[in-house]
Amino acid sequence: LAVGACLLAAEAGVRPRLLPAWVGGLLPFAVVSIAAAACRAHALDEASDAGALILAALAGRRLASEPRVREALIGLLVALACVAALRATLQHHLIYPIEARALRAGSGEVPALILARLEAGRPSGPFTLPAALGGFLAMTLPLTLALTRRRRGAAARAGIVLAALLQGYALFLTRSIGALVATTIAMALALPFLAPRRAAALRWGVLVLAVAGAAFFLHARRVEIGSPGADPFLLRAGNWRAAVRMIRDHPLFGTGPGSFGTFYPRYIEPGMNETRYAHNSYLQVLSGWGAWVIVPLALFAGAFGARLRPAWRAGGADLPVLAAGAAFLAHNLVDFTAFLPGVALPAGLLL
């Protein structure tokens, strides 16, 4: 992937537009954060993931300059989302029930956690977690619906609608509240392009569906967990508190990239879960790398907002892609898909 991204950036002998010049001033801070990390291997792993995300963004910028290639990339992501959604549907209705029955029928001791996850039926598709699948589908749904504006013919549009329904059903099966919120934001932002004449009315409809879906998901998750101490909101709040305390105790260069799981036991309290992630990618990046990361994050947020506002007012063709990027950025306020390359790299291309 790295070689391919570099070749794209330097294609046809054109001098590539790399990162802004001010990025060079931040490299010494990044080097110090890595060198001072308690576990150098974890630090290098996370640094390589960050580098891959930057290369994905550079490749996406290069691909976006050619409309046909850009359309092909969007079509590929939509097709992959359909495959992931189909796999998730099979997991929920076929694979997980078969595996749960096989475990119960076996003579050995049944792993309670695995059995509980299988019987809960929350699919993850090709990803490691249901929330990761939900975060990916939150990005691809506005892209899928946007194809209805670009494709002509009843058969083509019917196929696109079926693809959107399949992805929506898989998202529903994940019961991920964070993914639902990210999808709501993405759809609300994309409406001026998807339905310019009815955008205001449909926005209220999306909001009502989101509130109803969140209430159902929350009830279903609490019934599934069956323990007041395992409430997903309370557990995330504990993760966020721990991350904030890490930032307070290690403000300049953080605890070291990739070290959240190493330092987390020092901050764990009764009622908190064991985790390697803060369930907020921004807090985790700040706790690991240091407060200096606020500079690139703030500048990126400003640049993204400056691009999103005029596109939202004009309702142009860029809007669904920006909405997909906004879904990823919003989802990482309550989850950690930025640390999962299967979701982060497509997001980097789109952003």
Side-chain angles (χ1 to χ4, degrees), residues 250-272:
H250 306 271
L252 293 180
F253 298 105
T255 59
S259 65
F260 182 86
T262 305
F263 278 76
Y264 181 73
R266 303 184 185 185
Y267 298 89
I268 198 168
E269 298 173 354
M272 292 171 60

PDB file of all heavy atoms in Angstrom, residues 250-272:
ATOM      1  N   HIS A 250       0.948  13.522  31.732  1.00  0.00           N
ATOM      2  CA  HIS A 250       2.029  13.478  30.724  1.00  0.00           C
ATOM      3  C   HIS A 250       1.673  14.458  29.598  1.00  0.00           C
ATOM      4  O   HIS A 250       1.409  14.040  28.461  1.00  0.00           O
ATOM      5  CB  HIS A 250       2.183  12.059  30.175  1.00  0.00           C
ATOM      6  CG  HIS A 250       2.376  11.012  31.227  1.00  0.00           C
ATOM      7  ND1 HIS A 250       3.610  10.654  31.704  1.00  0.00           N
ATOM      8  CD2 HIS A 250       1.472  10.264  31.905  1.00  0.00           C
ATOM      9  CE1 HIS A 250       3.464   9.714  32.626  1.00  0.00           C
ATOM     10  NE2 HIS A 250       2.174   9.465  32.759  1.00  0.00           N
ATOM     11  N   PRO A 251       1.677  15.750  29.876  1.00  0.00           N
ATOM     12  CA  PRO A 251       1.127  16.710  28.907  1.00  0.00           C
ATOM     13  C   PRO A 251       1.985  16.943  27.672  1.00  0.00           C
ATOM     14  O   PRO A 251       1.441  17.163  26.590  1.00  0.00           O
ATOM     15  CB  PRO A 251       0.988  17.993  29.733  1.00  0.00           C
ATOM     16  CG  PRO A 251       2.015  17.854  30.815  1.00  0.00           C
ATOM     17  CD  PRO A 251       2.092  16.399  31.126  1.00  0.00           C
ATOM     18  N   LEU A 252       3.302  16.920  27.794  1.00  0.00           N
ATOM     19  CA  LEU A 252       4.144  17.365  26.691  1.00  0.00           C
ATOM     20  C   LEU A 252       4.277  16.316  25.584  1.00  0.00           C
ATOM     21  O   LEU A 252       3.952  16.573  24.427  1.00  0.00           O
ATOM     22  CB  LEU A 252       5.530  17.748  27.224  1.00  0.00           C
ATOM     23  CG  LEU A 252       5.558  18.983  28.130  1.00  0.00           C
ATOM     24  CD1 LEU A 252       6.979  19.254  28.597  1.00  0.00           C
ATOM     25  CD2 LEU A 252       5.000  20.184  27.383  1.00  0.00           C
ATOM     26  N   PHE A 253       4.761  15.131  25.939  1.00  0.00           N
ATOM     27  CA  PHE A 253       5.013  14.101  24.935  1.00  0.00           C
ATOM     28  C   PHE A 253       4.218  12.829  25.197  1.00  0.00           C
ATOM     29  O   PHE A 253       4.509  11.789  24.614  1.00  0.00           O
ATOM     30  CB  PHE A 253       6.514  13.800  24.869  1.00  0.00           C
ATOM     31  CG  PHE A 253       7.328  14.989  24.466  1.00  0.00           C
ATOM     32  CD1 PHE A 253       8.079  15.683  25.391  1.00  0.00           C
ATOM     33  CD2 PHE A 253       7.310  15.445  23.158  1.00  0.00           C
ATOM     34  CE1 PHE A 253       8.818  16.801  25.029  1.00  0.00           C
ATOM     35  CE2 PHE A 253       8.038  16.558  22.782  1.00  0.00           C
ATOM     36  CZ  PHE A 253       8.801  17.240  23.715  1.00  0.00           C
ATOM     37  N   GLY A 254       3.232  12.905  26.053  1.00  0.00           N
ATOM     38  CA  GLY A 254       2.335  11.790  26.256  1.00  0.00           C
ATOM     39  C   GLY A 254       2.982  10.596  26.925  1.00  0.00           C
ATOM     40  O   GLY A 254       4.143  10.629  27.359  1.00  0.00           O
ATOM     41  N   THR A 255       2.218   9.521  26.995  1.00  0.00           N
ATOM     42  CA  THR A 255       2.726   8.271  27.564  1.00  0.00           C
ATOM     43  C   THR A 255       3.479   7.441  26.545  1.00  0.00           C
ATOM     44  O   THR A 255       4.072   6.425  26.891  1.00  0.00           O
ATOM     45  CB  THR A 255       1.566   7.443  28.111  1.00  0.00           C
ATOM     46  OG1 THR A 255       0.651   7.158  27.040  1.00  0.00           O
ATOM     47  CG2 THR A 255       0.830   8.182  29.215  1.00  0.00           C
ATOM     48  N   GLY A 256       3.445   7.866  25.284  1.00  0.00           N
ATOM     49  CA  GLY A 256       4.073   7.114  24.201  1.00  0.00           C
ATOM     50  C   GLY A 256       3.013   6.540  23.281  1.00  0.00           C
ATOM     51  O   GLY A 256       2.001   6.004  23.745  1.00  0.00           O
ATOM     52  N   PRO A 257       3.208   6.640  21.972  1.00  0.00           N
ATOM     53  CA  PRO A 257       2.239   6.069  21.037  1.00  0.00           C
ATOM     54  C   PRO A 257       2.035   4.575  21.291  1.00  0.00           C
ATOM     55  O   PRO A 257       2.989   3.849  21.582  1.00  0.00           O
ATOM     56  CB  PRO A 257       2.884   6.317  19.668  1.00  0.00           C
ATOM     57  CG  PRO A 257       3.840   7.440  19.890  1.00  0.00           C
ATOM     58  CD  PRO A 257       4.333   7.298  21.285  1.00  0.00           C
ATOM     59  N   GLY A 258       0.813   4.130  21.194  1.00  0.00           N
ATOM     60  CA  GLY A 258       0.506   2.717  21.384  1.00  0.00           C
ATOM     61  C   GLY A 258       0.529   2.244  22.812  1.00  0.00           C
ATOM     62  O   GLY A 258       0.425   1.046  23.071  1.00  0.00           O
ATOM     63  N   SER A 259       0.644   3.165  23.782  1.00  0.00           N
ATOM     64  CA  SER A 259       0.832   2.755  25.171  1.00  0.00           C
ATOM     65  C   SER A 259      -0.417   2.933  26.030  1.00  0.00           C
ATOM     66  O   SER A 259      -0.343   2.755  27.242  1.00  0.00           O
ATOM     67  CB  SER A 259       1.980   3.560  25.802  1.00  0.00           C
ATOM     68  OG  SER A 259       1.632   4.932  25.878  1.00  0.00           O
ATOM     69  N   PHE A 260      -1.555   3.282  25.426  1.00  0.00           N
ATOM     70  CA  PHE A 260      -2.742   3.510  26.256  1.00  0.00           C
ATOM     71  C   PHE A 260      -3.072   2.262  27.080  1.00  0.00           C
ATOM     72  O   PHE A 260      -3.345   2.347  28.275  1.00  0.00           O
ATOM     73  CB  PHE A 260      -3.935   3.889  25.381  1.00  0.00           C
ATOM     74  CG  PHE A 260      -5.185   4.187  26.178  1.00  0.00           C
ATOM     75  CD1 PHE A 260      -5.408   5.458  26.681  1.00  0.00           C
ATOM     76  CD2 PHE A 260      -6.127   3.199  26.425  1.00  0.00           C
ATOM     77  CE1 PHE A 260      -6.548   5.739  27.419  1.00  0.00           C
ATOM     78  CE2 PHE A 260      -7.264   3.469  27.167  1.00  0.00           C
ATOM     79  CZ  PHE A 260      -7.474   4.741  27.657  1.00  0.00           C
ATOM     80  N   GLY A 261      -3.046   1.093  26.444  1.00  0.00           N
ATOM     81  CA  GLY A 261      -3.352  -0.137  27.161  1.00  0.00           C
ATOM     82  C   GLY A 261      -2.341  -0.468  28.240  1.00  0.00           C
ATOM     83  O   GLY A 261      -2.673  -1.121  29.240  1.00  0.00           O
ATOM     84  N   THR A 262      -1.100  -0.007  28.075  1.00  0.00           N
ATOM     85  CA  THR A 262      -0.063  -0.264  29.078  1.00  0.00           C
ATOM     86  C   THR A 262      -0.275   0.598  30.319  1.00  0.00           C
ATOM     87  O   THR A 262      -0.099   0.138  31.450  1.00  0.00           O
ATOM     88  CB  THR A 262       1.327   0.021  28.476  1.00  0.00           C
ATOM     89  OG1 THR A 262       1.488  -0.752  27.282  1.00  0.00           O
ATOM     90  CG2 THR A 262       2.422  -0.330  29.457  1.00  0.00           C
ATOM     91  N   PHE A 263      -0.640   1.867  30.125  1.00  0.00           N
ATOM     92  CA  PHE A 263      -0.797   2.791  31.243  1.00  0.00           C
ATOM     93  C   PHE A 263      -2.187   2.735  31.861  1.00  0.00           C
ATOM     94  O   PHE A 263      -2.369   3.176  32.996  1.00  0.00           O
ATOM     95  CB  PHE A 263      -0.500   4.228  30.777  1.00  0.00           C
ATOM     96  CG  PHE A 263       0.960   4.557  30.733  1.00  0.00           C
ATOM     97  CD1 PHE A 263       1.768   4.074  29.713  1.00  0.00           C
ATOM     98  CD2 PHE A 263       1.548   5.334  31.718  1.00  0.00           C
ATOM     99  CE1 PHE A 263       3.115   4.369  29.662  1.00  0.00           C
ATOM    100  CE2 PHE A 263       2.898   5.639  31.680  1.00  0.00           C
ATOM    101  CZ  PHE A 263       3.692   5.141  30.653  1.00  0.00           C
ATOM    102  N   TYR A 264      -3.153   2.224  31.125  1.00  0.00           N
ATOM    103  CA  TYR A 264      -4.540   2.245  31.597  1.00  0.00           C
ATOM    104  C   TYR A 264      -4.725   1.573  32.959  1.00  0.00           C
ATOM    105  O   TYR A 264      -5.486   2.098  33.793  1.00  0.00           O
ATOM    106  CB  TYR A 264      -5.436   1.592  30.534  1.00  0.00           C
ATOM    107  CG  TYR A 264      -6.903   1.558  30.874  1.00  0.00           C
ATOM    108  CD1 TYR A 264      -7.682   2.715  30.829  1.00  0.00           C
ATOM    109  CD2 TYR A 264      -7.527   0.362  31.225  1.00  0.00           C
ATOM    110  CE1 TYR A 264      -9.030   2.683  31.136  1.00  0.00           C
ATOM    111  CE2 TYR A 264      -8.878   0.322  31.522  1.00  0.00           C
ATOM    112  CZ  TYR A 264      -9.623   1.484  31.472  1.00  0.00           C
ATOM    113  OH  TYR A 264     -10.957   1.450  31.776  1.00  0.00           O
ATOM    114  N   PRO A 265      -4.067   0.442  33.259  1.00  0.00           N
ATOM    115  CA  PRO A 265      -4.266  -0.169  34.586  1.00  0.00           C
ATOM    116  C   PRO A 265      -3.907   0.750  35.758  1.00  0.00           C
ATOM    117  O   PRO A 265      -4.425   0.569  36.859  1.00  0.00           O
ATOM    118  CB  PRO A 265      -3.350  -1.395  34.544  1.00  0.00           C
ATOM    119  CG  PRO A 265      -3.273  -1.750  33.098  1.00  0.00           C
ATOM    120  CD  PRO A 265      -3.265  -0.435  32.384  1.00  0.00           C
ATOM    121  N   ARG A 266      -3.045   1.742  35.543  1.00  0.00           N
ATOM    122  CA  ARG A 266      -2.713   2.669  36.624  1.00  0.00           C
ATOM    123  C   ARG A 266      -3.886   3.589  36.966  1.00  0.00           C
ATOM    124  O   ARG A 266      -3.913   4.185  38.038  1.00  0.00           O
ATOM    125  CB  ARG A 266      -1.514   3.540  36.217  1.00  0.00           C
ATOM    126  CG  ARG A 266      -0.276   2.744  35.845  1.00  0.00           C
ATOM    127  CD  ARG A 266       0.885   3.675  35.544  1.00  0.00           C
ATOM    128  NE  ARG A 266       2.049   2.937  35.063  1.00  0.00           N
ATOM    129  CZ  ARG A 266       3.231   3.478  34.821  1.00  0.00           C
ATOM    130  NH1 ARG A 266       3.399   4.777  35.045  1.00  0.00           N
ATOM    131  NH2 ARG A 266       4.226   2.744  34.373  1.00  0.00           N
ATOM    132  N   TYR A 267      -4.822   3.719  36.044  1.00  0.00           N
ATOM    133  CA  TYR A 267      -5.927   4.653  36.234  1.00  0.00           C
ATOM    134  C   TYR A 267      -7.267   3.942  36.392  1.00  0.00           C
ATOM    135  O   TYR A 267      -8.284   4.606  36.561  1.00  0.00           O
ATOM    136  CB  TYR A 267      -6.005   5.599  35.026  1.00  0.00           C
ATOM    137  CG  TYR A 267      -4.770   6.447  34.847  1.00  0.00           C
ATOM    138  CD1 TYR A 267      -3.695   5.989  34.075  1.00  0.00           C
ATOM    139  CD2 TYR A 267      -4.657   7.694  35.452  1.00  0.00           C
ATOM    140  CE1 TYR A 267      -2.550   6.764  33.904  1.00  0.00           C
ATOM    141  CE2 TYR A 267      -3.523   8.479  35.293  1.00  0.00           C
ATOM    142  CZ  TYR A 267      -2.472   8.005  34.519  1.00  0.00           C
ATOM    143  OH  TYR A 267      -1.344   8.763  34.359  1.00  0.00           O
ATOM    144  N   ILE A 268      -7.279   2.639  36.331  1.00  0.00           N
ATOM    145  CA  ILE A 268      -8.545   1.914  36.372  1.00  0.00           C
ATOM    146  C   ILE A 268      -9.145   1.986  37.768  1.00  0.00           C
ATOM    147  O   ILE A 268      -8.429   2.004  38.776  1.00  0.00           O
ATOM    148  CB  ILE A 268      -8.338   0.448  35.920  1.00  0.00           C
ATOM    149  CG1 ILE A 268      -9.671  -0.188  35.529  1.00  0.00           C
ATOM    150  CG2 ILE A 268      -7.642  -0.357  37.002  1.00  0.00           C
ATOM    151  CD1 ILE A 268      -9.508  -1.511  34.802  1.00  0.00           C
ATOM    152  N   GLU A 269     -10.459   2.072  37.832  1.00  0.00           N
ATOM    153  CA  GLU A 269     -11.201   2.162  39.083  1.00  0.00           C
ATOM    154  C   GLU A 269     -12.291   1.104  39.090  1.00  0.00           C
ATOM    155  O   GLU A 269     -12.617   0.530  38.036  1.00  0.00           O
ATOM    156  CB  GLU A 269     -11.819   3.560  39.224  1.00  0.00           C
ATOM    157  CG  GLU A 269     -10.808   4.692  39.285  1.00  0.00           C
ATOM    158  CD  GLU A 269     -11.488   6.052  39.260  1.00  0.00           C
ATOM    159  OE1 GLU A 269     -12.723   6.077  39.079  1.00  0.00           O
ATOM    160  OE2 GLU A 269     -10.782   7.061  39.399  1.00  0.00           O
ATOM    161  N   PRO A 270     -12.884   0.829  40.251  1.00  0.00           N
ATOM    162  CA  PRO A 270     -13.990  -0.135  40.292  1.00  0.00           C
ATOM    163  C   PRO A 270     -15.118   0.272  39.341  1.00  0.00           C
ATOM    164  O   PRO A 270     -15.496   1.439  39.272  1.00  0.00           O
ATOM    165  CB  PRO A 270     -14.452  -0.083  41.750  1.00  0.00           C
ATOM    166  CG  PRO A 270     -13.232   0.350  42.508  1.00  0.00           C
ATOM    167  CD  PRO A 270     -12.512   1.289  41.591  1.00  0.00           C
ATOM    168  N   GLY A 271     -15.608  -0.709  38.597  1.00  0.00           N
ATOM    169  CA  GLY A 271     -16.675  -0.447  37.640  1.00  0.00           C
ATOM    170  C   GLY A 271     -16.194  -0.136  36.246  1.00  0.00           C
ATOM    171  O   GLY A 271     -17.004  -0.026  35.320  1.00  0.00           O
ATOM    172  N   MET A 272     -14.874   0.036  36.060  1.00  0.00           N
ATOM    173  CA  MET A 272     -14.328   0.310  34.729  1.00  0.00           C
ATOM    174  C   MET A 272     -13.904  -0.996  34.069  1.00  0.00           C
ATOM    175  O   MET A 272     -13.583  -1.964  34.737  1.00  0.00           O
ATOM    176  CB  MET A 272     -13.150   1.287  34.836  1.00  0.00           C
ATOM    177  CG  MET A 272     -13.555   2.686  35.270  1.00  0.00           C
ATOM    178  SD  MET A 272     -12.165   3.791  35.648  1.00  0.00           S
ATOM    179  CE  MET A 272     -11.303   3.819  34.074  1.00  0.00           C
TER     180      MET A 272
END
